[in-house]
Amino acid sequence: MGHRCCNKQKVKRGLWSPEEDEKLVNYITTHGHGSWSSVPKFAGLKRCGKSCRLRWINYLRPELKRGSFSAEEEQIIIDVHRILGNRWAQIAKHLPGRTDNEVKNFWNSCIKKKLMAQGLDPKTHNLIPSNQRAAHKAACNVSQSSQQPFSIINLDSKMKGYSMEINPPILTLPSPYPSSSSTQPPLLQTTTSLPLPTSSYQNTSVIWNENAQNPQNSSIFPCLSSIENTLISSSSSTSVNPTGFGLLNENSFWRTNNNIGEPFDAAKIFEVMQSQDQENQPNKICDTQMIIDNTKGVHDNMDASFDTTSYDLEFVDSTLLPGSMCRDLSSMDDLAWNF
DNA sequence: AAGCTGATCAACCGCGCACTG
DNA sequence: TCAGTGCGCGGTTGATCAGCT
């Protein structure tokens, strides 16, 4: 059974020969593909139009980048996948020269296993509950030592000790208050116990959670089991928080490279994002940080401001933060989840 | 050297959407 | 409004390769 577009004629299948490739390239470079269904006829190929299209898009296009994925590309895939899921074509748009097929294959053959080896659910990017993690680890027979660690959180020393929240997975770190302070939340005991990388926090978007500094308000994460419970409940949902923007409110501040501490303005954010998009920068807003004014709690608005069922995918896609979202699960197990 | 196994990747398949008459 | 057609996308398959025994 052939494709609907080429049922009438007998078409060749399987691997393309160099001669076929040459015919297709010659035809498309001189005439363009126009209607794909008519390409094989005019190009002198016994293939269906669909097959020609696929061959051109995935293999013959001159702008294609061949070779293995760079670490940066890998991180972009992870970041974008976390938000968009298996929308390979959308993900590939963030990787110039890469095809959806290539990205999909790379994900399935490589990234997926790495995430699983690190105790992450490749679908949700959340931690797999501890009782299921062992089974996952056994299932994916990948050597931890050979893994290039991902970063779910990159912090530098300036940020150590602050309470932050990432959603999802949600993670709260201790407050900036000295350990002697009575306001020290009963969360993690010391920040230095966290084996977090100390570089490139500029690529990490974080949400500061003032409530976490306040034991009275701190309904989240009083202990690890709560964290894990949160993660578990989060991972049981099929929805993901696309950007974390939902945590922002009017008391939030927005900072770009040239602009520090302006009041949060969604329209302005969108404007900046669009302008950056127009400049076709691969790392659209990598350098952008959301700085939350921690004079007011933002947690109260979390639930109301983020509707997992109604966010605009196009908007999300246009405002992605490649390399700027949750990072580093390399040490997630350690982080752990060792309490 | 031969056989086995897992990884990789090119290509196919089927579905859904958009467009057109 | 509806059927037909083409295209794009995501899931899956199968051929090939590399590493191991």
Side-chain angles (χ1 to χ4, degrees), chain A residues 72-84:
Chain A
E72 187 184 358
E73 288 176 312
E74 185 173 322
Q75 190 59 58
I76 290 171
I77 294 171
I78 294 166
D79 289 342
V80 181
H81 183 276
R82 177 172 167 271
I83 293 167
L84 295 177

Side-chain angles (χ1 to χ4, degrees), chain A residues 28-151:
Chain A
I28 292 181
T29 51
T30 54
H31 301 95
H33 64 74
S35 166
W36 281 111
S37 55
S38 61
V39 164
K41 188 175 81 179
F42 293 127
L45 291 163
K46 291 182 169 56
R47 297 272 181 173
C48 79
K50 216 169 180 177
S51 182
C52 292
R53 175 185 160 271
L54 204 68
R55 183 65 180 171
W56 174 258
I57 288 174
N58 286 339
Y59 203 80
L60 299 175
R61 273 190 298 153
E63 65 266 31
L64 282 181
K65 189 197 287 183
R66 311 298 301 180
S68 54
F69 283 80
S70 68
E72 187 184 358
E73 288 176 312
E74 185 173 322
Q75 190 59 58
I76 290 171
I77 294 171
I78 294 166
D79 289 342
V80 181
H81 183 276
R82 177 172 167 271
I83 293 167
L84 295 177
N86 293 358
R87 295 166 186 266
W88 307 117
Q90 293 299 309
I91 295 171
K93 285 178 185 171
H94 294 268
L95 300 161
R98 301 294 189 182
T99 68
D100 55 348
N101 207 35
E102 211 174 356
V103 171
K104 180 172 57 183
N105 283 334
F106 184 56
W107 176 269
N108 287 327
S109 66
C110 184
I111 299 179
K112 202 171 169 180
K113 290 170 189 168
K114 282 187 181 181
L115 291 177
M116 288 171 72
Q118 292 166 8
L120 290 173
D121 183 336
K123 284 182 184 169
T124 63
H125 295 242
N126 289 329
L127 266 184
I128 296 165
S130 55
N131 59 341
Q132 294 175 22
R133 228 177 293 155
H136 272 263
K137 277 193 173 178
C140 54
N141 200 10
V142 179
S143 163
Q144 283 277 10
S145 59
S146 67
Q147 301 303 306
Q148 287 287 333
F150 299 121
S151 294

Side-chain angles (χ1 to χ4, degrees), chain A residues 3-294:
Chain A
H3 294 137
R4 281 175 295 179
C5 64
C6 46
N7 275 342
K8 309 155 214 159
Q9 47 194 328
K10 196 170 183 178
V11 296
K12 190 185 169 193
R13 293 197 205 164
L15 294 179
W16 281 64
S17 68
E19 292 75 24
E20 287 176 307
D21 282 346
E22 193 183 344
K23 282 182 181 177
L24 185 59
V25 170
N26 285 341
Y27 177 79
I28 292 181
T29 51
T30 54
H31 301 95
H33 64 74
S35 166
W36 281 111
S37 55
S38 61
V39 164
K41 188 175 81 179
F42 293 127
L45 291 163
K46 291 182 169 56
R47 297 272 181 173
C48 79
K50 216 169 180 177
S51 182
C52 292
R53 175 185 160 271
L54 204 68
R55 183 65 180 171
W56 174 258
I57 288 174
N58 286 339
Y59 203 80
L60 299 175
R61 273 190 298 153
E63 65 266 31
L64 282 181
K65 189 197 287 183
R66 311 298 301 180
S68 54
F69 283 80
S70 68
E72 187 184 358
E73 288 176 312
E74 185 173 322
Q75 190 59 58
I76 290 171
I77 294 171
I78 294 166
D79 289 342
V80 181
H81 183 276
R82 177 172 167 271
I83 293 167
L84 295 177
N86 293 358
R87 295 166 186 266
W88 307 117
Q90 293 299 309
I91 295 171
K93 285 178 185 171
H94 294 268
L95 300 161
R98 301 294 189 182
T99 68
D100 55 348
N101 207 35
E102 211 174 356
V103 171
K104 180 172 57 183
N105 283 334
F106 184 56
W107 176 269
N108 287 327
S109 66
C110 184
I111 299 179
K112 202 171 169 180
K113 290 170 189 168
K114 282 187 181 181
L115 291 177
M116 288 171 72
Q118 292 166 8
L120 290 173
D121 183 336
K123 284 182 184 169
T124 63
H125 295 242
N126 289 329
L127 266 184
I128 296 165
S130 55
N131 59 341
Q132 294 175 22
R133 228 177 293 155
H136 272 263
K137 277 193 173 178
C140 54
N141 200 10
V142 179
S143 163
Q144 283 277 10
S145 59
S146 67
Q147 301 303 306
Q148 287 287 333
F150 299 121
S151 294
I152 193 159
I153 307 164
N154 289 340
L155 296 172
D156 93 345
S157 54
K158 293 178 200 167
M159 300 174 74
K160 283 185 177 178
Y162 279 78
S163 166
M164 60 181 266
E165 188 173 305
I166 290 178
N167 185 20
I170 296 171
L171 202 66
T172 294
L173 301 180
S175 81
Y177 299 127
S179 57
S180 59
S181 164
S182 60
T183 57
Q184 174 83 6
L187 299 173
L188 309 180
Q189 289 161 4
T190 66
T191 56
T192 52
S193 68
L194 296 171
L196 295 169
T198 58
S199 62
S200 67
Y201 82 89
Q202 71 273 14
N203 285 340
T204 303
S205 56
V206 298
I207 302 299
W208 302 101
N209 185 348
E210 191 258 348
N211 283 343
Q213 297 163 7
N214 184 340
Q216 277 76 32
N217 279 353
S218 188
S219 58
I220 47 172
F221 317 146
C223 60
L224 174 66
S225 61
S226 294
I227 297 174
E228 198 149 25
N229 284 339
T230 304
L231 292 166
I232 291 166
S233 64
S234 169
S235 63
S236 67
S237 162
T238 54
S239 303
V240 294
N241 182 343
T243 62
F245 292 166
L247 300 179
L248 296 169
N249 63 11
E250 69 277 11
N251 299 308
S252 305
F253 283 74
W254 159 253
R255 185 172 80 183
T256 68
N257 283 343
N258 308 318
N259 179 356
I260 298 177
E262 283 186 10
F264 173 69
D265 180 346
K268 183 153 195 167
I269 291 173
F270 191 63
E271 193 180 303
V272 172
M273 288 168 173
Q274 282 190 317
S275 70
Q276 296 202 359
D277 196 33
Q278 283 162 7
E279 290 166 22
N280 199 23
Q281 296 178 356
N283 293 332
K284 292 178 184 172
I285 52 175
C286 273
D287 297 326
T288 303
Q289 295 174 1
M290 300 297 176
I291 307 299
I292 306 301
D293 178 8
N294 64 0

